[in-house]
Amino acid sequence: MKRRPTIMDVAARAGVSKSTVSLVLQGSPQVKPATRSAVQDAMAEIGYVYNRAAANLRSASVGLVGLVINDLRNPFFTEFATTLQMTLAAQGYATVIANSDEDPTLQAKLVASMIEHGVTALVISPAYGEASDTFDALARRAIPVLQVLRKGDERTGIFPFASFDYAGGSAAATRHLVDQGARNIAFVGGLPGRAITRERKSGWREVLKEQGIAEIALHGKSSRAFGMQAAETLLADHPKVDAAVCFNDLVALGLMTGFARAGRPIGQGFPIVGFDDIEEAAQSWPPLSSVACDIAGFARETADRLLAWMVEGQRPEPEIRSPVRLVARASSLGVGP
Amino acid sequence: MKRRPTIMDVAARAGVSKSTVSLVLQGSPQVKPATRSAVQDAMAEIGYVYNRAAANLRSASVGLVGLVINDLRNPFFTEFATTLQMTLAAQGYATVIANSDEDPTLQAKLVASMIEHGVTALVISPAYGEASDTFDALARRAIPVLQVLRKGDERTGIFPFASFDYAGGSAAATRHLVDQGARNIAFVGGLPGRAITRERKSGWREVLKEQGIAEIALHGKSSRAFGMQAAETLLADHPKVDAAVCFNDLVALGLMTGFARAGRPIGQGFPIVGFDDIEEAAQSWPPLSSVACDIAGFARETADRLLAWMVEGQRPEPEIRSPVRLVARASSLGVGP
DNA sequence: CTTAGCTATTGGATCGTTCCAATTCTAGTC
DNA sequence: GACTAGAATTGGAACGATCCAATAGCTAAG
């Protein structure tokens, strides 16, 4: 009675065989238009819904993409995840989004659960930490896996990796600050020892070397709170520092708040540049200069690459870097509030 | 060769029957420990993964929960979604998160896709707009559906609804501003005609009536940008207004930025209170007073309610309101920066 | 009227698991 | 050594779709 209707029920109602119903479901041009609409009416009448699980059992590919993100609360990743999901949805693929919350154990569970549910492909921005088992399991099934935005530990090199040209971005930012007359440019934020910190620092370091400037770097969690704390540290311990490249916008905004609190608003003689160009950057006061990563564009490219891999079996290059763009705003242009 | 191994392969390897393997998978106490470990070894050796789709085909319930959110980019919803997912994950349930992006059409597609994938239950914060078809389909299958945070159109009353006591919260906020000596308290933000705007306004209105204060409300998109715009409007057209209750923190932060830009920092003679108490509220300058909704707690309660419904068939009450808490910070306490 | 050559439809096998009833094993008792 | 109760294991049917080879229906040509 409460049983959910099957194609057999539809077939009985429409007076055809289950095979015909199946053909209609797959949009086969084989079926006569009259038959097709009879079947469709029958489906509507008895409230039939497709049972994808049953279908996949017989016919492999599912059209289900898994997306595992290390920190979904971070707006940067949220934007990426939602855009990717919507792009894939437009192509008829369903996406399962999951947040590993930087926990490799949870991440392993999530990935396992996704494999069990039969994802056809996986996009992952890995949590830091030991995860070789997780990746081994993925490699063993021949599931297309795309690492994005972040590289896991060394062993994950088996899977293609796509991200932004962070080094180029921070170099551009640093050069911009030099152009503004800054001489002692600190690097603020980023946990030490991580690939992304290394990348974002390397561009800054390169320019400093070029200019013969000494390095001052403050590392820590990439949060607003750390930025505020860093402001105090800079003001107290590094009075000569006259500009900063920040690991990301959150740190930069925190830094801005910290300076404002100390009565030394950013932008007047102390230019800073953030990274990521999150929505808030343009809306802070003063507006925050930032290295813009076109996340939405990147998400769309990711979707394209994934589809090319899934559908045409065309594996992407092992490492892809999307260009970034420096957006100069008041926070680095000496235009005070 | 590349075929993914099945329980038959495991059975062959372990020298038992497929039924025994199945029992091991289900953790049945029936199997002899020796047999159990033999089977488990075999699974490890050939890299077996459970095929949930096949299992569900035979035995109904899946342990898959759908979560459809109207705007996943909004940190408020992000926090809810991630906490809910992690809580359910701890209970062994997988969660599919999807973002409808306020688009009823996309929402319908997402819900349909989830039903096809066989979700056992659905949590939805509906997009505004016509969605009766979507909900009819859900009602027809007897899938537990919990509406959260937002009520859809009137027709969705069929499903239980859980949210916060918004009216109580805005009443508390308004009373607090009155206590600070404010007399002309504006309400800023919220799109007109929506249930949530009505609720958040009603508490404010109630207190104004009590105090015999005239109403001034500025409605608009609940964004930082609108808050900035509202600041200009208030300063230009409503010079008498001396405090504001904001629809949410984003608007409040925008308002703060707008006032700062105009050289009239918030907190000095112009107290404001936001709503939601997002992480940023405590970190802005001045720190923003806000009506705190314990989203993480709410998400955990939601998970509990859902589990009670799914597992014990215990349908929640038609309308549940979780209490909120006013967090007074500098933005409403007259403590200037 | 038969038949070839289409197009449209169909029955049966199949996917990987669970469920059930039936069978085999084990050990204890007489 | 036969018997039995319980524990452990097993083979086959079932879930709801797809796929394939086979069949039915139709038209036009011979």
Side-chain angles (χ1 to χ4, degrees):
Chain A
M1 183 113 295
K2 265 217 177 159
R3 211 180 91 263
R4 97 191 230 177
T6 76
I7 55 166
M8 297 291 265
D9 301 319
V10 176
R13 174 111 196 176
V16 297
S17 78
K18 62 177 172 41
S19 304
T20 305
V21 178
S22 177
L23 289 174
V24 170
L25 282 172
Q26 294 167 85
S28 159
Q30 287 275 59
V31 297
K32 199 155 60 177
T35 314
R36 178 190 311 280
S37 50
V39 169
Q40 281 164 343
D41 291 351
M43 294 199 295
E45 282 162 24
I46 65 178
Y48 168 80
V49 279
Y50 191 61
N51 183 335
R52 208 171 275 271
N56 294 335
L57 188 53
R58 186 72 178 84
S59 66
S61 78
V62 193
L64 182 65
V65 174
L67 175 58
V68 180
I69 294 289
N70 55 294
D71 180 9
L72 201 52
R73 280 176 252 247
N74 181 330
F76 183 76
F77 291 111
T78 312
E79 172 73 19
F80 173 73
T82 53
T83 308
L84 183 64
Q85 174 172 54
M86 286 163 57
T87 311
L88 288 171
Q91 303 282 326
Y93 287 81
T95 309
V96 191
I97 303 179
N99 180 32
S100 67
D101 208 43
E102 298 291 9
D103 175 356
T105 314
L106 178 57
Q107 173 179 271
K109 272 196 206 133
L110 291 171
V111 170
S113 162
M114 285 181 174
I115 300 181
E116 284 184 2
H117 278 102
V119 293
T120 359
L122 201 73
V123 176
I124 184 167
S125 171
Y128 293 117
E130 181 50 48
S132 14
D133 289 355
T134 309
F135 286 101
D136 281 355
L138 284 166
R140 180 127 59 159
R141 338 241 78 70
I143 298 177
V145 176
L146 203 52
Q147 279 188 94
V148 290
L149 302 173
R150 250 205 196 183
K151 219 180 275 191
D153 62 22
E154 312 311 324
R155 300 216 34 217
T156 62
I158 12 169
F159 299 114
F161 171 69
S163 185
F164 289 100
D165 178 18
Y166 293 132
S170 67
T174 313
R175 219 161 262 133
H176 167 68
L177 291 175
V178 170
D179 290 348
Q180 300 298 309
R183 292 302 302 160
N184 289 285
I185 305 170
F187 186 92
V188 181
L191 286 174
R194 297 209 169 150
I196 189 167
T197 306
R198 261 199 307 283
E199 290 177 24
R200 292 193 175 183
K201 259 177 94 171
S202 72
W204 162 79
R205 174 170 290 150
E206 179 194 318
V207 176
L208 292 203
K209 271 218 187 90
E210 245 173 67
Q211 305 280 329
I213 306 181
E215 295 185 8
I216 293 171
L218 264 51
H219 290 296
K221 248 187 93 193
S222 305
S223 64
R224 228 175 261 269
F226 175 75
M228 287 173 61
Q229 182 195 318
E232 286 174 29
T233 312
L234 279 183
L235 288 169
D237 306 345
H238 304 282
K240 282 181 60 183
V241 167
D242 60 359
V245 172
C246 296
F247 175 79
N248 69 6
D249 286 346
L250 291 178
V251 170
L253 291 169
L255 200 67
M256 246 166 68
T257 307
F259 270 68
R261 191 176 283 195
R264 274 212 37 196
I266 284 296
Q268 303 175 319
F270 195 104
I272 68 172
V273 179
F275 222 107
D276 295 346
D277 195 30
I278 61 177
E279 202 190 347
E280 238 181 292
Q283 294 163 356
S284 68
W285 191 246
L288 176 65
S289 299
S290 189
V291 177
C293 304
D294 176 13
I295 312 178
F298 179 79
R300 280 187 289 267
E301 284 170 29
T302 303
D304 291 344
R305 280 183 202 118
L306 201 65
L307 290 171
W309 195 356
M310 288 194 297
V311 180
E312 293 147 40
Q314 189 188 328
R315 192 187 169 100
E317 290 170 44
E319 182 156 337
I320 298 164
R321 294 285 175 174
S322 294
V324 297
R325 191 170 46 87
L326 175 67
V327 181
R329 298 202 183 88
S331 83
S332 69
L333 291 175
V335 188
Chain B
M1 181 112 294
K2 266 217 175 159
R3 213 180 87 265
R4 98 190 229 176
T6 76
I7 52 169
M8 297 291 266
D9 302 320
V10 176
R13 174 109 197 179
V16 298
S17 78
K18 62 178 172 40
S19 303
T20 305
V21 178
S22 176
L23 289 174
V24 171
L25 283 172
Q26 293 167 83
S28 160
Q30 286 277 59
V31 298
K32 196 154 62 175
T35 314
R36 180 191 310 281
S37 51
V39 169
Q40 281 164 341
D41 291 351
M43 293 199 295
E45 282 163 24
I46 65 178
Y48 168 79
V49 279
Y50 190 59
N51 183 335
R52 209 170 273 273
N56 294 333
L57 187 53
R58 187 70 176 87
S59 67
S61 79
V62 192
L64 182 64
V65 174
L67 175 57
V68 179
I69 294 289
N70 55 293
D71 180 9
L72 201 52
R73 280 175 251 245
N74 181 330
F76 183 75
F77 291 112
T78 312
E79 173 73 19
F80 173 73
T82 53
T83 309
L84 184 63
Q85 173 170 55
M86 286 163 57
T87 312
L88 289 171
Q91 302 283 327
Y93 287 81
T95 310
V96 191
I97 302 180
N99 180 30
S100 66
D101 208 43
E102 299 291 10
D103 175 355
T105 314
L106 179 55
Q107 173 179 271
K109 272 196 207 132
L110 292 171
V111 170
S113 162
M114 285 181 173
I115 300 181
E116 285 184 4
H117 278 102
V119 293
T120 359
L122 201 73
V123 176
I124 183 168
S125 170
Y128 293 118
E130 181 51 47
S132 14
D133 289 357
T134 309
F135 287 101
D136 281 354
L138 285 166
R140 180 127 60 161
R141 337 241 79 69
I143 298 177
V145 176
L146 203 51
Q147 279 188 94
V148 290
L149 303 173
R150 248 203 198 185
K151 219 181 274 190
D153 62 22
E154 312 312 322
R155 301 216 33 218
T156 62
I158 11 170
F159 300 113
F161 171 70
S163 186
F164 289 100
D165 178 18
Y166 294 132
S170 68
T174 314
R175 219 162 262 134
H176 168 68
L177 291 176
V178 169
D179 290 348
Q180 301 297 310
R183 292 300 301 161
N184 289 284
I185 305 169
F187 186 93
V188 181
L191 286 174
R194 296 207 170 150
I196 189 166
T197 307
R198 261 197 308 283
E199 290 176 23
R200 293 194 174 180
K201 260 178 92 174
S202 71
W204 161 80
R205 174 171 288 150
E206 180 193 315
V207 177
L208 293 202
K209 272 219 185 90
E210 245 173 67
Q211 305 282 328
I213 306 180
E215 295 184 9
I216 293 171
L218 263 52
H219 290 295
K221 251 187 93 194
S222 304
S223 64
R224 227 176 263 271
F226 175 74
M228 289 173 61
Q229 182 194 318
E232 287 173 28
T233 312
L234 279 183
L235 288 168
D237 305 346
H238 303 284
K240 282 181 61 185
V241 168
D242 59 1
V245 172
C246 296
F247 176 79
N248 67 6
D249 286 346
L250 292 177
V251 170
L253 292 168
L255 200 66
M256 245 165 71
T257 308
F259 270 68
R261 190 175 284 192
R264 276 217 28 202
I266 283 295
Q268 304 175 317
F270 196 104
I272 69 171
V273 179
F275 221 108
D276 296 345
D277 195 31
I278 60 178
E279 201 190 348
E280 239 181 291
Q283 294 163 355
S284 68
W285 192 248
L288 177 65
S289 300
S290 189
V291 176
C293 304
D294 175 13
I295 312 178
F298 179 80
R300 281 187 288 268
E301 284 170 27
T302 303
D304 291 345
R305 281 185 201 116
L306 202 64
L307 290 171
W309 195 356
M310 287 194 299
V311 180
E312 293 147 40
Q314 189 188 326
R315 191 187 170 101
E317 290 170 45
E319 183 156 337
I320 298 165
R321 293 286 174 173
S322 293
V324 297
R325 191 170 47 87
L326 176 67
V327 181
R329 298 201 184 89
S331 84
S332 68
L333 291 175
V335 188

